[in-house]
Amino acid sequence: MSATIPYGATSAGAGPDMVRAEGVWKNFGSLEVLKGISLEVARGEVMCLIGPSGSGKSTFLRCINHLERVNAGRLWVDGELIGYRQKGERLYEMHPREAARQRRDIGMVFQRFNLFPHLTALQNVTCAPTLVGKLKKQVADDRAHELLTRVGLGDKASTYPNQLSGGQQQRVAIARALAMSPKLMLFDEPTSALDPELVGEVLDVMRSLAQEGMTMIVVTHEMGFAREVADSLVFMDGGVVVETGAPREVIADPQHARTRAFLSKVL
Amino acid sequence: MNAQSLRPGRTEGESDPARERIEAVPLRHPGRWLAAGVIFVAVALFVYGAATNTAYNWDYYAKYIFDQRISQAALVTLELTVLSMVIAIVLGVLLAVMRLSPNQVLSGVAWVYLWVFRGTPVYVQLVFWGLFATIYKQLRVGVPFGPTFFTIDPASAIDVFWLAVIGLALNEAAYMAEIVRAGILSVDEGQGEAATALGLSWWQTMTHVTLPQAMRVIIPPTGNEIISMLKTTSLVTAVPFTLDLYTRSRDISAETFTPIPLLLVASTWYLFFTSILMVGQYFLERYFAKGARITAGAGR
Ligand SMILES: Nc1ncnc2c1ncn2[C@@H]1O[C@H](COP(=O)(O)OP(=O)(O)OP(=O)(O)O)[C@@H](O)[C@H]1O
Ligand SMILES: [Mg+2]
């Protein structure tokens, strides 16, 4: 069962890339938000995704775990096609049960935390493992304590989210996402809703996660984090990937005018 | 702060008794006192009138308030209320979830149910339930156009009490469904999204994440519905079911020719139950507010 594999572990035999997007299009009605996104994220790679508001960063992340259905193109996570099954030339829509199974291997952290306010920090973390992973309560509790300790909140297990600071809430949210032992973590502006002095504690957790080999896609405006931690930097604008490369190089010497204009605003 | 410095700000020449500190005379509310006085006098007059007016027949009131027939009828009314509300809440949650489900067949069925049961008076529905045995002389359980496993004779098999319960419950379920739906819609979208992203199914998300949070919004109007149901039970005479509090007290008054004291007796019992329900509602609301207020360990 996936829930017992420590995170960062890889399953042998799958393709070399953890995430592979090929010509992903997404529109909401007549509004085209993603216009052919192609990129690869290797195992253990940390990719930072930057771009102006409305460029489709969140939408792309949501497509990766099939919270949004793509209109064209393909997305694979760990060699598995997301949202569809392919038999020969034909694509078959996946049963929601299977889509849910795919999402278990993909952790997601939201800008506004989205912790369950009626559950304690511990219950937030054990929720998915007990309901979805069918883990025994005792086992799930032990593991949740371990995860909360890892994000520095071992003493907050029985606290409700609204009694925690923003930074603490986001760390609980990270622990919750880790509880299903995902192969891939998606972060959608995890520090944007935080007071400046609380950003560091969340980035620290993410940094150590990266060091342990977790594959991560991080939408962020924290250029310091991108420079230090990320292996690759992708700049998106208007639904397309404008520029991609090693963070230091892109930041120091952007090749495209749009990248330059954007970076001059966030740096 | 020196009161003197406030002076220039004052535009009217009213008398200001404060010198050093603000020791202002509290704003007087002569209107309130006057209203209270008038109301007090009116109530006193009414009570005096009621106590001395022979039409109220207080000795009959005293005689029947704890009459066994009345207290039994009060119990029946309570049973009607509790049973029909329990069914209505369960069915209402089901209907609300069906209406919001991505399955169009389910949401369509729920819509039609609401359309019919909210669109017709409960009194009419109760009369219909009373005629159930007349409309359906025999219920046949089996394969359509095929063999019959067993048959039910509604006239003898279904008690009038249960017809009343069903009639009240099915009507109320339509209203409960709307209350529950509003509650579900009040929960932040991000909650369902986070649950889905964790791999929870639609149903698990609904039962473990959305509904528990919707409770805070659902409970207060549900309390109102229960209180309202307690009084709506007086309509079951339409079925006709005659053992509830209102019908019972009316039947007794038909014998004794004293309608007024018996109406007061019934009202007293209704008020008594309503008061108990209000206390229960208070505690339920407190329980489901947990996690929503800052109070440490609220309602745990
Ligand atoms: N469910 C939706 N329905 C309709 N339009 C949507 C929906 N979700 C996103 N959009 C639109 O798609 C565009 C891209 O949105 P998206 O949230 O992906 O941008 P973003 O790059 O994450 O921006 P930000 O930095 O502000 O978070 C926006 O114009 C947005 O209004
Ligand atoms: Mg976004």
Side-chain angles (χ1 to χ4, degrees), chain A residues 52-59 62 111 188-189 219 221:
Chain A
S53 180
S55 56
K57 308 178 299 289
S58 300
T59 305
R62 292 159 53 78
Q111 181 174 354
D188 191 358
E189 304 199 37
V219 175
H221 295 301

Side-chain angles (χ1 to χ4, degrees), chain A residues 19-31:
Chain A
V19 180
R20 200 172 139 76
E22 262 179 27
V24 171
W25 285 72
K26 173 71 192 173
N27 55 279
F28 295 106
S30 60
L31 178 70

